[in-house]
Amino acid sequence: MTELSSPTVSPDGRTIRILSYNVHSCVGTDRKLDVGRVADMIAALEPDVIGLQELDVGRRRSGGVDQAEEIARRLKMDFHFHPALKLEEELYGDALLTAFPMRLVKSAALPSIGEPRGALWTVIEVAGRKLQVFNTHLGLLRRDRLQQAAALTGEDWLAHPELEGKPVVLIGDFNSIPSSAPYRMILERLSDARRQTGRLAAPTFPARWPILRLDHVFVGGGPQIVNAEAVSTPAARRASDHLPLLVTVKI
């Protein structure tokens, strides 16, 4: 097992690595359930801030493991988890992880007709700078994605008065390609890699033969995306049905 013992912020204190990763309940494309494999996959990329989607917590199908806690423990990171779906004692949702100081601001549901979805909002302090960091997972239904993107860009989330003029990072599996309406809605408020580097990262889904760009990192209020890459190693193509999206951000 590879572990991270401290944040890996650059020597000048201005560049961090952000990871968006839909881990598919830690079930890989080989149908193997392996939390350790996912944690090792993440550790090898040395991210500073991690947004994970599709985590199981206490679910029978994944052996009752708290996947958010287990991955954070292996990486020696703090975490916050939001259960978008609750089935009695079984939970399923998304998490933010980091070894930097982190405070939870909000964890709540998004409008959903299909499978429930939600979002997390935290403040993460990086070298004396406070980043407003969000993580989400939009729905499979187009109507849900439109409503969820509208909610995220509204006054309860990204347009909240407390965010005015502050650096923002939005991480997630948006189930939305760059030409889609939800993606364009978010671009009205934030920037993506194409705007800031001139090109998009490679597709992230499905992991074995990726053709769709569904996972994204957006920034606003100062941070600049330096690079964005879909990690397409053999290990990454096995560990989940999505590839990890690794984005280098200058703050």
Side-chain angles (χ1 to χ4, degrees):
M1 178 182 69
T2 306
E3 293 185 335
L4 300 181
S5 57
S6 62
T8 56
V9 68
S10 62
D12 64 3
R14 301 185 67 87
T15 304
I16 60 172
R17 292 156 69 86
I18 296 173
L19 184 71
S20 181
Y21 195 12
N22 182 323
V23 299
H24 195 234
S25 302
C26 297
V27 176
T29 53
D30 56 4
R31 300 184 180 181
K32 182 179 179 181
L33 170 65
D34 193 337
V35 178
R37 176 171 65 177
V38 170
D40 287 348
M41 179 74 247
I42 295 169
L45 301 176
E46 299 186 332
D48 302 294
V49 177
I50 306 165
L52 300 180
Q53 304 88 36
E54 292 196 14
L55 290 160
D56 279 359
V57 172
R59 301 196 73 177
R60 288 187 294 274
R61 70 179 187 182
S62 49
V65 173
D66 184 331
Q67 294 182 343
E69 181 179 47
E70 179 63 14
I71 292 171
R73 183 188 68 79
R74 288 171 179 259
L75 299 178
K76 295 185 177 179
M77 290 184 167
D78 189 15
F79 77 99
H80 288 292
F81 171 76
H82 175 256
L85 177 65
K86 299 179 182 180
L87 299 170
E88 296 181 354
E89 300 301 316
E90 298 187 15
L91 307 176
Y92 171 78
D94 317 308
L96 278 164
L97 295 78
T98 187
F100 291 118
M102 175 171 58
R103 175 176 61 87
L104 180 65
V105 178
K106 183 177 181 179
S107 171
L110 295 174
S112 301
I113 299 168
E115 184 176 286
R117 302 296 197 199
L120 291 135
W121 171 7
T122 66
V123 177
I124 297 177
E125 187 171 338
V126 181
R129 303 172 180 89
K130 292 183 178 180
L131 295 179
Q132 311 290 321
V133 181
F134 298 76
N135 182 35
T136 193
H137 182 196
L138 301 192
L140 296 174
L141 301 177
R142 184 177 184 275
R143 183 176 175 183
D144 272 0
R145 291 195 298 274
L146 288 170
Q147 291 183 333
Q148 291 157 3
L152 273 175
T153 55
E155 292 186 356
D156 288 338
W157 294 96
L158 294 170
H160 195 286
E162 290 185 10
L163 287 177
E164 186 173 355
K166 294 181 179 178
V168 172
V169 175
L170 172 61
I171 303 165
D173 172 4
F174 295 85
N175 277 309
S176 302
I177 60 175
S179 61
S180 67
Y183 184 96
R184 294 196 306 270
M185 199 180 301
I186 295 169
L187 275 190
E188 292 177 4
R189 181 161 296 277
L190 301 175
S191 292
D192 67 349
R194 180 165 55 188
R195 281 187 175 180
Q196 298 195 345
T197 68
R199 64 183 182 87
L200 286 170
T204 55
F205 181 84
R208 283 188 172 179
W209 306 103
I211 57 173
L212 299 174
R213 295 179 175 92
L214 302 182
D215 306 275
H216 309 290
V217 173
F218 299 91
V219 297
Q224 296 290 315
I225 294 174
V226 178
N227 186 52
E229 59 177 311
V231 179
S232 187
T233 61
R237 291 195 294 271
R238 284 192 301 270
S240 173
D241 66 342
H242 282 244
L243 295 176
L245 176 67
L246 186 64
V247 179
T248 303
V249 173
K250 185 175 182 180
I251 59 172

